[in-house]
């Protein structure tokens, strides 16, 4: 079966990386570069027993436009990603095993994960119950708590960047856009976060924002888990804003102080906010409250990570399931 | 026609400084300090294990990095990150290897730190760096190659949080309750702790050093502030005590070093060279002279002599006034001067006018305090 897919065996460099990692197959591709499954040969050589299990890792080969490499050397996004992964050691953040450089390409060796959240979220064959959703969301909040505690904003929180191990442990990955938010009062770029998970303050072109943008993305993920799809599916910035305001209501100076002063502020047709209990009939009142708290338009009124973790939704029965109880076997 | 002999650029010769250093080094606590085994061994400790020559190369490289960063309008935080990278390089590579290519390593450190710290439009570009480095301009391929080598040597451990980062994030932004004068001193000490390699002999991280120096500072010390700092920096009091013990020895030597009794006048070539090293092109002072000035001007614990002389002057002028008033004025003047210095340096204001205004302020306060007790003046000034 594998032979039929030419992409999987297309390895652009020597199959043995730095004499240690044996290339097995290509497992992913994105704007950042490509991901390969590798086997650690050194580990096998040093193993005491011959029957010891093989150790597999994922190697991320960072892609870089040729002209940028010519001019600037190693990409700054790669440097920042390495920096953050080295700094934070947490159960819900993917660990960085090794980094090396071959022929102008940077490789990051990371733990091999089974899947990502998008597969679990968009799969029609998997049933996600409230305990499953609680388990996933709590893991997201624990990861975010660790990041925000270390003054880091992820800035690209999407289901594709949340990887799940075989044990059901959810881990944050792709820190290419992350940055420290406490270092200075320096302006921040607006070209962050995937459009469908982008907070309204970024869509309005705010130059100064905080960890609340990650909370909004988490709210979009929670909505997506309930909807089994994308909650706000806009085609461009304006469309995205209109999608958000259809549900959350149009912002005004009363509901969001200072919104009219934002650089790209556009006045939308007035629409009242909708209740999530109407949008998702049959959901718990606490869950609806949590969703509302996560998706509040005014970033200052949005819930913090700690408030999310201590939310009554998570303290109420049914309790959250254990990570290994997540339906990982059903993922193709 | 006689051909003019080719002259190599003078920038590289620091052998003369080595000789000068050896002449000035009359005291040496090095052996004593290195025999101490601090609990927390860091990269800095590895570095201190290396020889005296390294200190000179490091000093030179810091000057070079500062020069490059200033020309490129990079922030102080970026300079500090590049100094950390240089220190990391020293801990992984012998000095003789770095010494041969010290300019290149400096350029690479600045490039890497700007990528790490600066936001995208401000991040330095290789072309600009070549323009700035003038004589020491290197082909971009070489810089890129060394960038990879540097990362390989430091094992991709690019994590670098200089003390200024702690100051900016935790103290300045999230703890506004800490005194401004205290914070300003902390910033200065953080900077000094990283730049003066003498202070790094203790083998402690810079935040330990900053805390230790602050704990010795009589003028701005406050228990509550100090406790908060310990919380922020996550350092233990035992370590600070140990650090202070070493620093008390270093402090005296530092003072002697920067204020030697008899110093030979440098030759013309040496002076020219010093001008090139110098960070402040207008005043044409060497780094060490700058530092001496820096220590005298800003650090109150170090410039005790100067402040004392001012106190005496004030005493002579106001002989008629009683002793209690004089003491309170001296304290008031000293603290106000610290505060006004920070504000005036930021706004570019006149320092001479502050003295008068302080005296006026003091008079107003004195009048007010006539109603109450006299102690309120000193309490206010503190």
């Amino acid at each position: 079966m594998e032979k039929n897919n030419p992409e999987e065996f297309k390895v652009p460099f020597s199959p043995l990386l730095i004499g240690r990692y044996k290339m097995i197959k290509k497992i992913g591709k994105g704007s950042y570069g490509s991901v390969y499954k590798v086997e650690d040969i050194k580990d096998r050589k040093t193993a005491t027993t011959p029957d010891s299990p093989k150790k597999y890792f994922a190697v991320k080969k960072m892609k870089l436009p040729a002209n940028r490499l010519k001019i600037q050397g190693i990409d700054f996004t790669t440097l920042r990603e390495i920096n953050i992964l080295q700094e934070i050691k947490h159960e819900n953040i993917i660990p960085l095993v090794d980094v090396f450089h071959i022929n102008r390409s940077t490789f990051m060796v990371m733990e091999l994960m089974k899947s990502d959240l998008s597969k679990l979220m968009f799969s029609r064959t998997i049933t996600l119950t409230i305990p499953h959703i609680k388990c996933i969301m709590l893991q997201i909040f624990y990861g975010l708590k660790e990041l925000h505690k270390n003054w880091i904003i992820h800035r690209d929180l999407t289901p594709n960047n949340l990887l799940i191990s075989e044990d059901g442990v959810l881990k944050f990955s792709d820190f290419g856009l992350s940055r420290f938010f406490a270092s200075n009062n320096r302006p921040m770029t607006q070209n962050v976060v995937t459009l469908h998970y982008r907070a309204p303050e970024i869509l309005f072109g705010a130059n100064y924002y905080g960890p609340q943008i990650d909370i909004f993305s988490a709210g979009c993920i929670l909505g997506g888990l309930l909807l089994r799809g994308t909650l706000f599916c806009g085609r461009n910035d304006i469309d995205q804003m209109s999608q958000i305001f259809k549900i959350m209501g149009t912002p005004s100076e009363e509901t969001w102080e200072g919104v009219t002063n934002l650089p790209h502020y556009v006045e939308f047709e007035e629409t009242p906010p909708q209740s999530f209990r109407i949008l998702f009939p049959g959901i718990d009142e606490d869950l609806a409250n949590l969703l509302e708290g996560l998706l509040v338009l005014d970033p200052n009124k949005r819930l913090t990570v700690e408030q999310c973790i201590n939310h009554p939704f998570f303290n109420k029965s049914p309790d959250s399931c254990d990570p290994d109880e997540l339906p990982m076997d059903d993922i193709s | 026609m006689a051909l003019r002999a080719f002259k190599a650029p003078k920038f590289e010769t620091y052998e003369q400084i080595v000789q000068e250093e050896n002449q000035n080094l009359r005291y040496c606590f090095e052996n004593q300090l290195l025999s101490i085994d601090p609990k927390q061994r860091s990269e800095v400790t590895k570095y201190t294990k290396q020889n005296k020559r390294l200190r000179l190369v490091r000093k030179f490289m810091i000057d070079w990095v500062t020069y490059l960063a200033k020309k490129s309008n990079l922030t102080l935080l970026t300079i500090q990150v590049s100094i950390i990278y240089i220190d990391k390089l020293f801990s992984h590579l012998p000095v003789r290897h770095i010494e041969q290519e010290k300019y290149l390593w400096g350029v690479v450190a600045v490039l890497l730190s700007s990528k790490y710290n600066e936001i995208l439009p401000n991040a330095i570009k290789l072309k600009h760096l070549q323009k700035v480095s003038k004589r020491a301009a290197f082909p971009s391929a070489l810089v890129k190659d060394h960038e990879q080598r540097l990362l390989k040597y430091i094992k991709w451990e690019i994590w670098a949080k200089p003390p200024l980062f702690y100051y900016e994030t935790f103290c300045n932004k999230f703890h506004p309750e800490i005194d401004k004068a205290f914070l300003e001193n902390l910033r200065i000490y953080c900077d000094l702790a990283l730049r003066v390699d003498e202070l790094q002999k203790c083998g402690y991280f810079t935040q330990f050093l900053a805390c230790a120096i602050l704990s010795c500072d009589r003028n701005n010390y406050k228990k509550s502030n100090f406790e908060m700092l310990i919380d922020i920096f996550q350092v233990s009091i035992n370590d600070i005590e140990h650090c202070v013990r070493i620093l008390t020895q270093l402090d005296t030597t530092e003072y002697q070093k920067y204020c030697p009794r008899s110093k030979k006048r440098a030759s013309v070539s040496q002076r020219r060279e010093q001008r090139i090293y110098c960070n402040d092109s207008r005043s044409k002072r060497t780094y060490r002279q700058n530092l001496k000035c820096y220590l005298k001007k800003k650090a109150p614990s170090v410039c005790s002599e100067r402040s004392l002389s001012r106190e005496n002057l004030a005493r002579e002028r106001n002989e008629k006034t009683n002793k209690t008033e004089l003491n309170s004025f001296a304290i008031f003047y000293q603290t106000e001067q610290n505060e006004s210095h920070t504000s005036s340096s930021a706004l570019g204001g006149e320092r001479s006018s502050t003295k008068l205004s302080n005296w006026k302020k003091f008079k107003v306060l004195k009048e007010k305090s006539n109603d109450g007790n006299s102690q309120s003046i000193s309490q206010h000034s503190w």
Side-chain angles (χ1 to χ4, degrees), chain A residues 161-197:
Chain A
N161 293 334
L162 294 166
L163 307 178
I164 308 177
S165 69
E166 274 192 51
D167 313 329
V169 180
L170 193 135
K171 298 193 184 208
F172 285 60
S173 71
D174 202 351
F175 289 83
L177 290 171
S178 309
R179 66 160 283 174
F180 288 98
F181 64 88
S183 59
N184 268 324
N185 292 326
R186 290 188 288 187
M188 295 170 170
T189 177
Q190 294 111 36
N191 300 326
V192 286
V193 193
T194 308
L195 183 64
H196 298 163
Y197 300 88

Side-chain angles (χ1 to χ4, degrees), chain A residues 69-74 76 79-80 82-83 86-87 99 101 106 151 181-186, chain B residues 115-120 124-126 144 147-148 151 156-159 161 168-170 173-174:
Chain A
L69 181 76
K70 269 182 191 172
I71 299 163
Q72 292 302 323
I74 291 161
F76 68 96
L79 281 176
R80 285 179 190 175
I82 293 165
N83 171 40
Q86 277 175 347
E87 191 179 344
V99 190
H101 201 90
T106 311
W151 317 99
F181 64 88
S183 59
N184 268 324
N185 292 326
R186 290 188 288 187
Chain B
K115 277 183 198 172
Y116 173 86
N117 194 50
E118 297 284 334
I119 51 170
L120 194 55
I124 205 164
K125 283 177 182 161
L126 254 174
K144 278 184 273 180
E147 188 184 44
Q148 286 171 22
L151 288 167
W156 288 85
E157 286 170 4
I158 49 170
W159 184 86
K161 265 186 189 171
E168 283 187 353
T169 54
F170 305 108
K173 202 172 176 182
F174 296 100

Side-chain angles (χ1 to χ4, degrees), chain A residues 227 275-284:
Chain A
L227 199 71
S275 169
F276 280 103
R277 292 198 78 182
I278 300 164
L279 208 71
F280 303 108
I283 64 161
D284 192 15

Side-chain angles (χ1 to χ4, degrees), chain A residues 11 53 70 79 87 93 104 106 122 160 167 201 220 224 245 261 266 312:
Chain A
V11 180
K70 269 182 191 172
L79 281 176
E87 191 179 344
I93 286 156
R104 296 178 178 183
T106 311
F122 301 124
N160 291 316
D167 313 329
E201 61 264 33
C220 293
F245 301 150
N261 299 329
V266 190

Side-chain angles (χ1 to χ4, degrees), chain A residues 41-137:
Chain A
I41 287 180
K42 196 182 174 185
D43 194 69
R44 265 184 85 192
K45 280 177 187 172
T46 52
T48 46
T49 52
D51 301 328
S52 59
K54 289 177 180 179
K55 263 198 173 179
Y56 293 105
F57 291 105
V59 168
K60 192 174 172 183
K61 186 194 172 196
M62 304 304 288
K63 199 169 93 179
L64 193 71
N67 57 343
R68 211 151 118 195
L69 181 76
K70 269 182 191 172
I71 299 163
Q72 292 302 323
I74 291 161
D75 194 25
F76 68 96
T77 52
T78 313
L79 281 176
R80 285 179 190 175
E81 187 169 1
I82 293 165
N83 171 40
I84 288 167
L85 288 173
Q86 277 175 347
E87 191 179 344
I88 300 172
K89 307 281 175 211
H90 190 260
E91 199 193 355
N92 297 114
I93 286 156
I94 197 154
L96 185 69
V97 180
D98 198 3
V99 190
F100 52 89
H101 201 90
I102 307 169
N103 295 339
R104 296 178 178 183
S105 302
T106 311
F107 294 84
M108 290 160 69
V109 185
M110 286 180 279
E111 203 176 282
L112 186 68
M113 306 294 276
K114 193 180 179 185
S115 175
D116 60 39
L117 188 64
S118 67
K119 279 181 187 166
L120 203 72
M121 208 162 113
F122 301 124
S123 170
R124 295 285 166 199
T125 54
I126 298 166
T127 315
L128 286 175
T129 58
I130 291 293
H132 289 153
I133 291 172
K134 276 186 182 178
C135 175
I136 291 167
M137 286 315 293

